[in-house]
PDB file of all heavy atoms in Angstrom:
ATOM      1  N   THR A  12       0.844  -1.190   0.000  1.00 97.00           N
ATOM      2  CA  THR A  12       0.000   0.000   0.000  1.00 97.00           C
ATOM      3  C   THR A  12       0.881   1.241   0.000  1.00 97.00           C
ATOM      4  O   THR A  12       1.793   1.355   0.823  1.00 97.00           O
ATOM      5  CB  THR A  12      -0.916   0.025   1.241  1.00 97.00           C
ATOM      6  OG1 THR A  12      -1.690  -1.173   1.267  1.00 97.00           O
ATOM      7  CG2 THR A  12      -1.843   1.222   1.209  1.00 97.00           C
ATOM      8  N   ARG A  13       0.601   2.144  -0.919  1.00 97.00           N
ATOM      9  CA  ARG A  13       1.375   3.385  -1.039  1.00 97.00           C
ATOM     10  C   ARG A  13       1.337   4.169   0.272  1.00 97.00           C
ATOM     11  O   ARG A  13       0.298   4.293   0.905  1.00 97.00           O
ATOM     12  CB  ARG A  13       0.788   4.239  -2.157  1.00 97.00           C
ATOM     13  CG  ARG A  13       1.475   5.567  -2.337  1.00 97.00           C
ATOM     14  CD  ARG A  13       0.839   6.349  -3.493  1.00 97.00           C
ATOM     15  NE  ARG A  13       1.557   7.570  -3.702  1.00 97.00           N
ATOM     16  CZ  ARG A  13       1.158   8.762  -3.256  1.00 97.00           C
ATOM     17  NH1 ARG A  13       0.022   8.878  -2.594  1.00 97.00           N
ATOM     18  NH2 ARG A  13       1.877   9.838  -3.474  1.00 97.00           N
ATOM     19  N   GLN A  14       2.503   4.695   0.662  1.00 98.00           N
ATOM     20  CA  GLN A  14       2.590   5.515   1.865  1.00 98.00           C
ATOM     21  C   GLN A  14       2.546   6.991   1.486  1.00 98.00           C
ATOM     22  O   GLN A  14       2.975   7.377   0.406  1.00 98.00           O
ATOM     23  CB  GLN A  14       3.903   5.236   2.606  1.00 98.00           C
ATOM     24  CG  GLN A  14       4.004   3.826   3.130  1.00 98.00           C
ATOM     25  CD  GLN A  14       5.313   3.622   3.871  1.00 98.00           C
ATOM     26  OE1 GLN A  14       5.817   4.512   4.533  1.00 98.00           O
ATOM     27  NE2 GLN A  14       5.858   2.433   3.749  1.00 98.00           N
ATOM     28  N   THR A  15       2.010   7.787   2.379  1.00 97.00           N
ATOM     29  CA  THR A  15       1.947   9.234   2.181  1.00 97.00           C
ATOM     30  C   THR A  15       2.574   9.929   3.386  1.00 97.00           C
ATOM     31  O   THR A  15       2.623   9.366   4.481  1.00 97.00           O
ATOM     32  CB  THR A  15       0.496   9.718   2.020  1.00 97.00           C
ATOM     33  OG1 THR A  15      -0.239   9.376   3.202  1.00 97.00           O
ATOM     34  CG2 THR A  15      -0.178   9.093   0.806  1.00 97.00           C
ATOM     35  N   VAL A  16       3.043  11.147   3.164  1.00 97.00           N
ATOM     36  CA  VAL A  16       3.650  11.938   4.234  1.00 97.00           C
ATOM     37  C   VAL A  16       2.856  13.222   4.373  1.00 97.00           C
ATOM     38  O   VAL A  16       2.540  13.875   3.380  1.00 97.00           O
ATOM     39  CB  VAL A  16       5.121  12.282   3.901  1.00 97.00           C
ATOM     40  CG1 VAL A  16       5.730  13.151   4.983  1.00 97.00           C
ATOM     41  CG2 VAL A  16       5.934  11.018   3.711  1.00 97.00           C
ATOM     42  N   SER A  17       2.520  13.586   5.604  1.00 96.00           N
ATOM     43  CA  SER A  17       1.890  14.888   5.838  1.00 96.00           C
ATOM     44  C   SER A  17       2.743  15.666   6.831  1.00 96.00           C
ATOM     45  O   SER A  17       3.335  15.102   7.749  1.00 96.00           O
ATOM     46  CB  SER A  17       0.455  14.730   6.335  1.00 96.00           C
ATOM     47  OG  SER A  17       0.399  13.941   7.479  1.00 96.00           O
ATOM     48  N   PHE A  18       2.807  16.968   6.586  1.00 95.00           N
ATOM     49  CA  PHE A  18       3.650  17.857   7.384  1.00 95.00           C
ATOM     50  C   PHE A  18       2.809  18.684   8.328  1.00 95.00           C
ATOM     51  O   PHE A  18       1.610  18.847   8.142  1.00 95.00           O
ATOM     52  CB  PHE A  18       4.440  18.804   6.465  1.00 95.00           C
ATOM     53  CG  PHE A  18       5.316  18.090   5.484  1.00 95.00           C
ATOM     54  CD1 PHE A  18       4.953  17.988   4.156  1.00 95.00           C
ATOM     55  CD2 PHE A  18       6.509  17.527   5.887  1.00 95.00           C
ATOM     56  CE1 PHE A  18       5.758  17.339   3.246  1.00 95.00           C
ATOM     57  CE2 PHE A  18       7.329  16.870   4.985  1.00 95.00           C
ATOM     58  CZ  PHE A  18       6.945  16.780   3.654  1.00 95.00           C
ATOM     59  N   ASP A  19       3.483  19.229   9.319  1.00 94.00           N
ATOM     60  CA  ASP A  19       2.831  20.105  10.276  1.00 94.00           C
ATOM     61  C   ASP A  19       3.780  21.248  10.593  1.00 94.00           C
ATOM     62  O   ASP A  19       4.993  21.054  10.677  1.00 94.00           O
ATOM     63  CB  ASP A  19       2.500  19.321  11.554  1.00 94.00           C
ATOM     64  CG  ASP A  19       1.507  20.023  12.439  1.00 94.00           C
ATOM     65  OD1 ASP A  19       0.850  20.979  11.971  1.00 94.00           O
ATOM     66  OD2 ASP A  19       1.375  19.611  13.607  1.00 94.00           O
ATOM     67  N   SER A  20       3.232  22.444  10.753  1.00 91.00           N
ATOM     68  CA  SER A  20       4.026  23.591  11.149  1.00 91.00           C
ATOM     69  C   SER A  20       3.958  23.694  12.664  1.00 91.00           C
ATOM     70  O   SER A  20       2.880  23.659  13.248  1.00 91.00           O
ATOM     71  CB  SER A  20       3.466  24.860  10.503  1.00 91.00           C
ATOM     72  OG  SER A  20       4.205  25.976  10.907  1.00 91.00           O
ATOM     73  N   VAL A  21       5.121  23.793  13.280  1.00 90.00           N
ATOM     74  CA  VAL A  21       5.190  23.886  14.737  1.00 90.00           C
ATOM     75  C   VAL A  21       5.999  25.112  15.129  1.00 90.00           C
ATOM     76  O   VAL A  21       6.830  25.595  14.359  1.00 90.00           O
ATOM     77  CB  VAL A  21       5.830  22.618  15.362  1.00 90.00           C
ATOM     78  CG1 VAL A  21       4.960  21.412  15.143  1.00 90.00           C
ATOM     79  CG2 VAL A  21       7.215  22.383  14.827  1.00 90.00           C
ATOM     80  N   LEU A  22       5.772  25.590  16.309  1.00 87.00           N
ATOM     81  CA  LEU A  22       6.516  26.731  16.816  1.00 87.00           C
ATOM     82  C   LEU A  22       7.696  26.219  17.631  1.00 87.00           C
ATOM     83  O   LEU A  22       7.512  25.499  18.610  1.00 87.00           O
ATOM     84  CB  LEU A  22       5.620  27.622  17.683  1.00 87.00           C
ATOM     85  CG  LEU A  22       6.304  28.845  18.292  1.00 87.00           C
ATOM     86  CD1 LEU A  22       6.751  29.808  17.192  1.00 87.00           C
ATOM     87  CD2 LEU A  22       5.382  29.548  19.260  1.00 87.00           C
ATOM     88  N   ASP A  23       8.894  26.582  17.193  1.00 79.00           N
ATOM     89  CA  ASP A  23      10.097  26.265  17.958  1.00 79.00           C
ATOM     90  C   ASP A  23      10.206  27.319  19.046  1.00 79.00           C
ATOM     91  O   ASP A  23      10.566  28.459  18.790  1.00 79.00           O
ATOM     92  CB  ASP A  23      11.317  26.284  17.041  1.00 79.00           C
ATOM     93  CG  ASP A  23      12.576  25.813  17.747  1.00 79.00           C
ATOM     94  OD1 ASP A  23      12.661  25.955  18.990  1.00 79.00           O
ATOM     95  OD2 ASP A  23      13.475  25.311  17.060  1.00 79.00           O
ATOM     96  N   ARG A  24       9.848  26.954  20.258  1.00 80.00           N
ATOM     97  CA  ARG A  24       9.776  27.926  21.354  1.00 80.00           C
ATOM     98  C   ARG A  24      11.139  28.529  21.699  1.00 80.00           C
ATOM     99  O   ARG A  24      11.223  29.669  22.128  1.00 80.00           O
ATOM    100  CB  ARG A  24       9.146  27.284  22.575  1.00 80.00           C
ATOM    101  CG  ARG A  24       7.697  26.885  22.317  1.00 80.00           C
ATOM    102  CD  ARG A  24       6.953  26.623  23.605  1.00 80.00           C
ATOM    103  NE  ARG A  24       5.648  26.050  23.372  1.00 80.00           N
ATOM    104  CZ  ARG A  24       4.592  26.715  22.957  1.00 80.00           C
ATOM    105  NH1 ARG A  24       4.679  27.980  22.683  1.00 80.00           N
ATOM    106  NH2 ARG A  24       3.428  26.114  22.789  1.00 80.00           N
ATOM    107  N   SER A  25      12.208  27.776  21.505  1.00 76.00           N
ATOM    108  CA  SER A  25      13.530  28.320  21.815  1.00 76.00           C
ATOM    109  C   SER A  25      13.928  29.433  20.845  1.00 76.00           C
ATOM    110  O   SER A  25      14.713  30.301  21.179  1.00 76.00           O
ATOM    111  CB  SER A  25      14.580  27.214  21.804  1.00 76.00           C
ATOM    112  OG  SER A  25      14.712  26.680  20.499  1.00 76.00           O
ATOM    113  N   LEU A  26      13.342  29.398  19.637  1.00 71.00           N
ATOM    114  CA  LEU A  26      13.658  30.418  18.636  1.00 71.00           C
ATOM    115  C   LEU A  26      12.526  31.411  18.417  1.00 71.00           C
ATOM    116  O   LEU A  26      12.710  32.423  17.756  1.00 71.00           O
ATOM    117  CB  LEU A  26      13.953  29.747  17.288  1.00 71.00           C
ATOM    118  CG  LEU A  26      15.117  28.779  17.230  1.00 71.00           C
ATOM    119  CD1 LEU A  26      15.144  28.069  15.898  1.00 71.00           C
ATOM    120  CD2 LEU A  26      16.414  29.510  17.468  1.00 71.00           C
ATOM    121  N   SER A  27      11.358  31.084  18.934  1.00 75.00           N
ATOM    122  CA  SER A  27      10.145  31.848  18.628  1.00 75.00           C
ATOM    123  C   SER A  27       9.959  31.965  17.123  1.00 75.00           C
ATOM    124  O   SER A  27       9.633  33.020  16.591  1.00 75.00           O
ATOM    125  CB  SER A  27      10.192  33.237  19.267  1.00 75.00           C
ATOM    126  OG  SER A  27      10.216  33.129  20.666  1.00 75.00           O
ATOM    127  N   ALA A  28      10.185  30.853  16.442  1.00 80.00           N
ATOM    128  CA  ALA A  28      10.090  30.812  14.979  1.00 80.00           C
ATOM    129  C   ALA A  28       9.398  29.520  14.553  1.00 80.00           C
ATOM    130  O   ALA A  28       9.462  28.512  15.261  1.00 80.00           O
ATOM    131  CB  ALA A  28      11.476  30.882  14.368  1.00 80.00           C
ATOM    132  N   PRO A  29       8.750  29.553  13.397  1.00 85.00           N
ATOM    133  CA  PRO A  29       8.082  28.336  12.915  1.00 85.00           C
ATOM    134  C   PRO A  29       9.090  27.322  12.378  1.00 85.00           C
ATOM    135  O   PRO A  29      10.171  27.687  11.916  1.00 85.00           O
ATOM    136  CB  PRO A  29       7.178  28.844  11.799  1.00 85.00           C
ATOM    137  CG  PRO A  29       7.857  30.073  11.300  1.00 85.00           C
ATOM    138  CD  PRO A  29       8.532  30.676  12.489  1.00 85.00           C
ATOM    139  N   ALA A  30       8.730  26.081  12.458  1.00 89.00           N
ATOM    140  CA  ALA A  30       9.533  24.993  11.897  1.00 89.00           C
ATOM    141  C   ALA A  30       8.568  23.971  11.312  1.00 89.00           C
ATOM    142  O   ALA A  30       7.360  24.036  11.555  1.00 89.00           O
ATOM    143  CB  ALA A  30      10.413  24.362  12.969  1.00 89.00           C
ATOM    144  N   VAL A  31       9.098  23.047  10.548  1.00 91.00           N
ATOM    145  CA  VAL A  31       8.262  22.013   9.949  1.00 91.00           C
ATOM    146  C   VAL A  31       8.651  20.669  10.555  1.00 91.00           C
ATOM    147  O   VAL A  31       9.802  20.453  10.936  1.00 91.00           O
ATOM    148  CB  VAL A  31       8.403  21.994   8.405  1.00 91.00           C
ATOM    149  CG1 VAL A  31       9.797  21.596   7.986  1.00 91.00           C
ATOM    150  CG2 VAL A  31       7.375  21.091   7.769  1.00 91.00           C
ATOM    151  N   ARG A  32       7.657  19.807  10.681  1.00 91.00           N
ATOM    152  CA  ARG A  32       7.924  18.444  11.152  1.00 91.00           C
ATOM    153  C   ARG A  32       6.992  17.494  10.439  1.00 91.00           C
ATOM    154  O   ARG A  32       5.992  17.906   9.844  1.00 91.00           O
ATOM    155  CB  ARG A  32       7.756  18.332  12.659  1.00 91.00           C
ATOM    156  CG  ARG A  32       6.326  18.433  13.128  1.00 91.00           C
ATOM    157  CD  ARG A  32       6.223  18.195  14.632  1.00 91.00           C
ATOM    158  NE  ARG A  32       4.899  18.478  15.105  1.00 91.00           N
ATOM    159  CZ  ARG A  32       3.914  17.560  15.213  1.00 91.00           C
ATOM    160  NH1 ARG A  32       4.146  16.329  14.881  1.00 91.00           N
ATOM    161  NH2 ARG A  32       2.728  17.903  15.657  1.00 91.00           N
ATOM    162  N   ILE A  33       7.309  16.219  10.498  1.00 94.00           N
ATOM    163  CA  ILE A  33       6.452  15.194   9.920  1.00 94.00           C
ATOM    164  C   ILE A  33       5.288  14.979  10.869  1.00 94.00           C
ATOM    165  O   ILE A  33       5.484  14.696  12.049  1.00 94.00           O
ATOM    166  CB  ILE A  33       7.220  13.868   9.722  1.00 94.00           C
ATOM    167  CG1 ILE A  33       8.403  14.054   8.786  1.00 94.00           C
ATOM    168  CG2 ILE A  33       6.294  12.774   9.224  1.00 94.00           C
ATOM    169  CD1 ILE A  33       8.046  14.410   7.376  1.00 94.00           C
ATOM    170  N   LYS A  34       4.080  15.167  10.366  1.00 95.00           N
ATOM    171  CA  LYS A  34       2.886  14.946  11.187  1.00 95.00           C
ATOM    172  C   LYS A  34       2.575  13.454  11.227  1.00 95.00           C
ATOM    173  O   LYS A  34       2.452  12.875  12.304  1.00 95.00           O
ATOM    174  CB  LYS A  34       1.712  15.733  10.604  1.00 95.00           C
ATOM    175  CG  LYS A  34       0.455  15.666  11.421  1.00 95.00           C
ATOM    176  CD  LYS A  34      -0.623  16.542  10.812  1.00 95.00           C
ATOM    177  CE  LYS A  34      -1.890  16.520  11.633  1.00 95.00           C
ATOM    178  NZ  LYS A  34      -2.926  17.384  11.035  1.00 95.00           N
ATOM    179  N   THR A  35       2.439  12.850  10.049  1.00 96.00           N
ATOM    180  CA  THR A  35       2.164  11.412   9.979  1.00 96.00           C
ATOM    181  C   THR A  35       2.742  10.820   8.704  1.00 96.00           C
ATOM    182  O   THR A  35       2.907  11.513   7.707  1.00 96.00           O
ATOM    183  CB  THR A  35       0.641  11.095   9.968  1.00 96.00           C
ATOM    184  OG1 THR A  35       0.044  11.744   8.849  1.00 96.00           O
ATOM    185  CG2 THR A  35      -0.035  11.513  11.239  1.00 96.00           C
ATOM    186  N   ILE A  36       3.035   9.547   8.772  1.00 97.00           N
ATOM    187  CA  ILE A  36       3.299   8.750   7.580  1.00 97.00           C
ATOM    188  C   ILE A  36       2.124   7.795   7.512  1.00 97.00           C
ATOM    189  O   ILE A  36       1.985   6.912   8.356  1.00 97.00           O
ATOM    190  CB  ILE A  36       4.637   8.005   7.664  1.00 97.00           C
ATOM    191  CG1 ILE A  36       5.780   9.006   7.740  1.00 97.00           C
ATOM    192  CG2 ILE A  36       4.806   7.077   6.464  1.00 97.00           C
ATOM    193  CD1 ILE A  36       7.144   8.388   7.891  1.00 97.00           C
ATOM    194  N   GLY A  37       1.256   8.052   6.549  1.00 96.00           N
ATOM    195  CA  GLY A  37       0.014   7.298   6.470  1.00 96.00           C
ATOM    196  C   GLY A  37      -0.033   6.371   5.264  1.00 96.00           C
ATOM    197  O   GLY A  37       0.953   6.173   4.561  1.00 96.00           O
ATOM    198  N   ARG A  38      -1.192   5.840   5.045  1.00 97.00           N
ATOM    199  CA  ARG A  38      -1.451   4.928   3.926  1.00 97.00           C
ATOM    200  C   ARG A  38      -2.438   5.573   2.966  1.00 97.00           C
ATOM    201  O   ARG A  38      -3.407   6.207   3.388  1.00 97.00           O
ATOM    202  CB  ARG A  38      -2.052   3.610   4.427  1.00 97.00           C
ATOM    203  CG  ARG A  38      -1.192   2.895   5.438  1.00 97.00           C
ATOM    204  CD  ARG A  38      -0.253   1.985   4.747  1.00 97.00           C
ATOM    205  NE  ARG A  38       0.599   1.297   5.724  1.00 97.00           N
ATOM    206  CZ  ARG A  38       1.766   0.820   5.416  1.00 97.00           C
ATOM    207  NH1 ARG A  38       2.227   0.949   4.207  1.00 97.00           N
ATOM    208  NH2 ARG A  38       2.487   0.211   6.320  1.00 97.00           N
ATOM    209  N   ASP A  39      -2.189   5.409   1.681  1.00 96.00           N
ATOM    210  CA  ASP A  39      -3.081   5.919   0.650  1.00 96.00           C
ATOM    211  C   ASP A  39      -4.278   4.967   0.531  1.00 96.00           C
ATOM    212  O   ASP A  39      -4.098   3.758   0.413  1.00 96.00           O
ATOM    213  CB  ASP A  39      -2.321   5.995  -0.675  1.00 96.00           C
ATOM    214  CG  ASP A  39      -3.105   6.655  -1.786  1.00 96.00           C
ATOM    215  OD1 ASP A  39      -4.316   6.897  -1.615  1.00 96.00           O
ATOM    216  OD2 ASP A  39      -2.503   6.928  -2.840  1.00 96.00           O
ATOM    217  N   ASN A  40      -5.476   5.511   0.559  1.00 95.00           N
ATOM    218  CA  ASN A  40      -6.687   4.681   0.508  1.00 95.00           C
ATOM    219  C   ASN A  40      -7.182   4.432  -0.908  1.00 95.00           C
ATOM    220  O   ASN A  40      -8.272   3.878  -1.088  1.00 95.00           O
ATOM    221  CB  ASN A  40      -7.803   5.326   1.333  1.00 95.00           C
ATOM    222  CG  ASN A  40      -7.487   5.319   2.809  1.00 95.00           C
ATOM    223  OD1 ASN A  40      -6.839   4.401   3.303  1.00 95.00           O
ATOM    224  ND2 ASN A  40      -7.924   6.336   3.513  1.00 95.00           N
ATOM    225  N   THR A  41      -6.411   4.826  -1.916  1.00 95.00           N
ATOM    226  CA  THR A  41      -6.795   4.575  -3.302  1.00 95.00           C
ATOM    227  C   THR A  41      -6.934   3.071  -3.505  1.00 95.00           C
ATOM    228  O   THR A  41      -6.102   2.297  -3.022  1.00 95.00           O
ATOM    229  CB  THR A  41      -5.715   5.126  -4.261  1.00 95.00           C
ATOM    230  OG1 THR A  41      -5.501   6.499  -3.959  1.00 95.00           O
ATOM    231  CG2 THR A  41      -6.123   4.970  -5.705  1.00 95.00           C
ATOM    232  N   PRO A  42      -7.968   2.636  -4.220  1.00 95.00           N
ATOM    233  CA  PRO A  42      -8.144   1.185  -4.427  1.00 95.00           C
ATOM    234  C   PRO A  42      -6.970   0.567  -5.190  1.00 95.00           C
ATOM    235  O   PRO A  42      -6.316   1.230  -5.997  1.00 95.00           O
ATOM    236  CB  PRO A  42      -9.423   1.084  -5.261  1.00 95.00           C
ATOM    237  CG  PRO A  42     -10.028   2.426  -5.276  1.00 95.00           C
ATOM    238  CD  PRO A  42      -9.017   3.412  -4.847  1.00 95.00           C
ATOM    239  N   PHE A  43      -6.736  -0.699  -4.924  1.00 94.00           N
ATOM    240  CA  PHE A  43      -5.693  -1.419  -5.638  1.00 94.00           C
ATOM    241  C   PHE A  43      -6.120  -1.652  -7.080  1.00 94.00           C
ATOM    242  O   PHE A  43      -7.305  -1.779  -7.376  1.00 94.00           O
ATOM    243  CB  PHE A  43      -5.418  -2.776  -4.977  1.00 94.00           C
ATOM    244  CG  PHE A  43      -4.919  -2.668  -3.568  1.00 94.00           C
ATOM    245  CD1 PHE A  43      -5.632  -3.228  -2.526  1.00 94.00           C
ATOM    246  CD2 PHE A  43      -3.734  -2.013  -3.285  1.00 94.00           C
ATOM    247  CE1 PHE A  43      -5.170  -3.138  -1.225  1.00 94.00           C
ATOM    248  CE2 PHE A  43      -3.264  -1.911  -1.988  1.00 94.00           C
ATOM    249  CZ  PHE A  43      -3.991  -2.478  -0.957  1.00 94.00           C
ATOM    250  N   LYS A  44      -5.136  -1.743  -7.957  1.00 90.00           N
ATOM    251  CA  LYS A  44      -5.405  -2.108  -9.342  1.00 90.00           C
ATOM    252  C   LYS A  44      -5.576  -3.621  -9.382  1.00 90.00           C
ATOM    253  O   LYS A  44      -4.922  -4.347  -8.633  1.00 90.00           O
ATOM    254  CB  LYS A  44      -4.247  -1.694 -10.247  1.00 90.00           C
ATOM    255  CG  LYS A  44      -3.948  -0.214 -10.209  1.00 90.00           C
ATOM    256  CD  LYS A  44      -2.627   0.071 -10.912  1.00 90.00           C
ATOM    257  CE  LYS A  44      -2.123   1.433 -10.491  1.00 90.00           C
ATOM    258  NZ  LYS A  44      -0.723   1.626 -10.794  1.00 90.00           N
ATOM    259  N   VAL A  45      -6.456  -4.095 -10.242  1.00 89.00           N
ATOM    260  CA  VAL A  45      -6.662  -5.536 -10.384  1.00 89.00           C
ATOM    261  C   VAL A  45      -6.357  -5.891 -11.834  1.00 89.00           C
ATOM    262  O   VAL A  45      -6.821  -5.237 -12.761  1.00 89.00           O
ATOM    263  CB  VAL A  45      -8.108  -5.944 -10.013  1.00 89.00           C
ATOM    264  CG1 VAL A  45      -8.300  -7.433 -10.217  1.00 89.00           C
ATOM    265  CG2 VAL A  45      -8.415  -5.555  -8.577  1.00 89.00           C
ATOM    266  N   GLU A  46      -5.553  -6.943 -12.008  1.00 87.00           N
ATOM    267  CA  GLU A  46      -5.109  -7.333 -13.344  1.00 87.00           C
ATOM    268  C   GLU A  46      -5.244  -8.842 -13.496  1.00 87.00           C
ATOM    269  O   GLU A  46      -4.991  -9.589 -12.554  1.00 87.00           O
ATOM    270  CB  GLU A  46      -3.650  -6.901 -13.505  1.00 87.00           C
ATOM    271  CG  GLU A  46      -3.065  -7.116 -14.867  1.00 87.00           C
ATOM    272  CD  GLU A  46      -1.641  -6.595 -14.919  1.00 87.00           C
ATOM    273  OE1 GLU A  46      -1.453  -5.368 -14.928  1.00 87.00           O
ATOM    274  OE2 GLU A  46      -0.713  -7.426 -14.929  1.00 87.00           O
ATOM    275  N   HIS A  47      -5.638  -9.261 -14.687  1.00 84.00           N
ATOM    276  CA  HIS A  47      -5.710 -10.692 -14.962  1.00 84.00           C
ATOM    277  C   HIS A  47      -4.327 -11.149 -15.399  1.00 84.00           C
ATOM    278  O   HIS A  47      -3.859 -10.800 -16.475  1.00 84.00           O
ATOM    279  CB  HIS A  47      -6.747 -10.982 -16.049  1.00 84.00           C
ATOM    280  CG  HIS A  47      -7.013 -12.445 -16.216  1.00 84.00           C
ATOM    281  ND1 HIS A  47      -6.365 -13.211 -17.147  1.00 84.00           N
ATOM    282  CD2 HIS A  47      -7.834 -13.284 -15.534  1.00 84.00           C
ATOM    283  CE1 HIS A  47      -6.785 -14.453 -17.052  1.00 84.00           C
ATOM    284  NE2 HIS A  47      -7.672 -14.527 -16.080  1.00 84.00           N
TER     285      HIS A  47
END
């Protein structure tokens, strides 16, 4: 199953500045292909 990555913006309190982090590594719910 294909994996997906979603990001989140967080506040780095030591810098009082925004930063980015990985929110989740999830699964794509797109249906599987079926082949004969």
Side-chain angles (χ1 to χ4, degrees):
T12 303
R13 178 179 184 260
Q14 296 181 35
T15 60
V16 178
S17 56
F18 301 104
D19 196 15
S20 179
V21 294
L22 179 65
D23 186 333
R24 296 196 189 284
S25 65
L26 299 172
S27 296
V31 65
R32 70 175 172 92
I33 300 295
K34 184 177 181 180
T35 59
I36 297 177
R38 303 271 179 204
D39 186 350
N40 292 327
T41 305
F43 298 119
K44 302 169 198 163
V45 178
E46 185 178 287
H47 189 265

